[in-house]
Amino acid sequence: MTGAGPLVSIIVPVYDAGEHLEPCIRSILEQTHSALELILVDDGSTDGSGEVCDRLAAQDVRIRVIHQENGGIAVAQNAGLDAASGDLITFCDNDDLMAPRMLERLVELIESTGADMSCCRWKNVGASQGVAEMRKHADDPFGAYEVFDDPARAYQTVFSLAHRKLLRVELRYFSEANWGKMYRAHLFDGVRFPAGRYAQDVAVAMTLYERMSSVVSCEDALYYWLQRGDSVSHALRSAAYYSDIVHAHAQSFDVAIRLGVLPARAYTGMTALRFERRAAGTADELRRLEDDRRAVRTRVRQLSMWQRVICRALHLQRLLEIQVYNVTVHRRR
């Protein structure tokens, strides 16, 4: 155990996590970097998850539990940010797992490179296989890492591109998801996630990347993203869901334009409009769809013809990489 070192605040929004909650919490408490505070935000759970949080908090002084009325993941994450006292901050979903050395690795990368954020890769595994898979790889040696000195530009224009390893490693992959990352706490000064949004992490991603001088990304798969059929990302495919994605990427687009950065990722994100079109059915959904169409058209018109060509090419590349990833990486996991 490395009890010394910077205090890390881990924020976990909790809502009706059921049997998946306790393994998640224990994976955090068993980190080799033990200088941590675990902030569990019980967002109005109805299945006893709040009681699980209280029971485990009574066993470990590093746990702090916040109980609140249900307000959604953004409100819960914001409550965690308000309560956090660590020098470094990371997030974990209430049904995922953190490999025992995840915090150790991400802290070491930030301290050794001076970066504002460190990030690792993840493994997609079935919920029933998560703990066994994590234990099997607990002692895997750490791999390569890379430092990006222009995080906002890299976020918008760099996807996988790890072709030298046949896409088995996503060393250069940037994303907006806030799990699998460690942030210097000051990055969130004055920044909070928008309440009531499905794509709350996308909405603030560019704001955070704009504040960073550098980001370090490693190839180590240390976060276990457990696949559940009843999770939001699997079960919710409403018009409102896709509209939120479009709006969040439109916000990201605006920040990129202001910074003089090609908004390639935002361009790809706004193509969720086609899924919104398929899902829209009610009069309100159709009106919102038309508003979203206008918002997207207005932004795309700000790009030169050449910029549109590059954005389209990178969009097609990303679609191809997703297919290759699903065949060569995701299926093996």
Side-chain angles (χ1 to χ4, degrees):
M1 288 282 190
T2 53
L7 179 66
V8 179
S9 298
I10 304 102
I11 298 170
V12 181
V14 176
Y15 180 74
D16 289 359
E19 63 184 1
H20 305 286
L21 177 59
E22 188 160 346
C24 170
I25 294 174
R26 294 203 179 280
S27 78
I28 296 171
L29 297 177
E30 292 170 2
Q31 291 293 303
T32 55
H33 181 93
S34 59
L36 61 87
E37 62 173 7
L38 173 53
I39 303 172
L40 302 173
V41 184
D42 171 29
D43 192 41
S45 295
T46 61
D47 71 340
S49 291
E51 287 76 7
V52 173
C53 293
D54 290 336
R55 172 170 58 82
L56 294 177
Q59 301 171 10
D60 197 309
V61 297
R62 295 174 299 171
I63 300 178
R64 177 178 178 184
V65 182
I66 299 171
H67 296 284
Q68 62 183 34
E69 293 184 2
N70 181 252
I73 187 171
V75 172
Q77 288 177 328
N78 290 341
L81 287 171
D82 291 341
S85 59
D87 302 307
L88 301 168
I89 290 174
T90 189
F91 299 84
C92 185
D93 286 353
N94 65 188
D95 53 358
D96 291 339
L97 303 170
M98 291 168 51
R101 295 190 295 163
M102 177 176 156
L103 294 187
E104 175 190 339
R105 178 59 164 164
L106 294 183
V107 168
E108 185 274 329
L109 287 172
I110 279 186
E111 293 194 316
S112 64
T113 66
D116 293 300
M117 186 189 87
S118 57
C119 53
C120 64
R121 304 281 62 78
W122 59 91
K123 285 182 179 286
N124 301 107
V125 296
S128 63
Q129 304 167 331
V131 172
E133 183 72 11
M134 182 179 68
R135 287 174 178 166
K136 184 170 69 174
H137 294 282
D139 296 321
D140 286 357
F142 292 140
Y145 66 87
E146 186 169 350
V147 177
F148 295 85
D149 292 323
D150 192 346
R153 190 177 304 278
Y155 168 67
Q156 284 293 335
T157 58
V158 174
F159 297 135
S160 295
L161 296 181
H163 300 296
R164 66 185 181 277
K165 293 192 176 182
L166 301 178
L167 290 174
R168 294 187 62 187
V169 176
E170 292 187 324
L171 175 60
R172 307 194 73 214
Y173 180 76
F174 269 56
S175 73
E176 54 278 339
N178 45 39
W179 45 255
K181 298 178 174 63
M182 184 169 290
Y183 306 84
R184 293 192 186 273
H186 70 80
L187 296 170
F188 285 96
D189 290 348
V191 176
R192 291 296 183 267
F193 298 103
R197 297 275 288 276
Y198 298 115
Q200 81 287 347
D201 43 10
V202 179
V204 303
M206 273 297 284
T207 298
L208 293 173
Y209 282 126
E210 180 184 2
R211 294 181 169 201
M212 299 177 195
S213 59
S214 65
V215 164
V216 56
S217 175
C218 70
E219 67 182 5
D220 309 304
L222 301 171
Y223 187 92
Y224 285 76
W225 181 16
L226 305 191
Q227 303 301 291
R228 293 170 50 198
D230 59 345
S231 67
V232 170
S233 60
H234 284 82
L236 184 56
R237 291 295 184 266
S238 66
Y241 174 83
Y242 292 116
S243 178
D244 267 7
I245 292 175
V246 171
H247 276 274
H249 281 286
Q251 186 173 338
S252 180
F253 184 105
D254 294 341
V255 177
I257 290 295
R258 175 171 56 79
L259 296 176
V261 171
L262 182 70
R265 185 181 294 272
Y267 180 95
T268 286
M270 291 190 303
T271 63
L273 188 68
R274 70 183 186 275
F275 299 114
E276 182 185 355
R277 182 168 58 248
R278 296 172 189 170
T282 69
D284 286 344
E285 289 171 344
L286 291 170
R287 280 193 293 270
R288 182 171 51 202
L289 172 63
E290 190 54 40
D291 289 342
D292 291 348
R293 281 173 171 162
R294 283 194 293 267
V296 170
R297 284 198 298 265
T298 297
R299 284 167 174 81
V300 172
R301 286 171 183 162
Q302 297 178 46
L303 302 175
S304 68
M305 184 59 68
W306 181 238
Q307 286 176 319
R308 295 185 201 183
V309 169
I310 298 175
C311 284
R312 182 64 180 171
L314 288 174
H315 170 63
L316 295 174
Q317 173 192 302
R318 182 57 182 154
L319 293 180
L320 175 62
E321 289 183 348
I322 289 172
Q323 294 303 314
V324 174
Y325 174 83
N326 287 338
V327 172
T328 64
V329 180
H330 180 67
R331 185 171 295 174
R332 284 199 298 269
R333 292 176 180 175

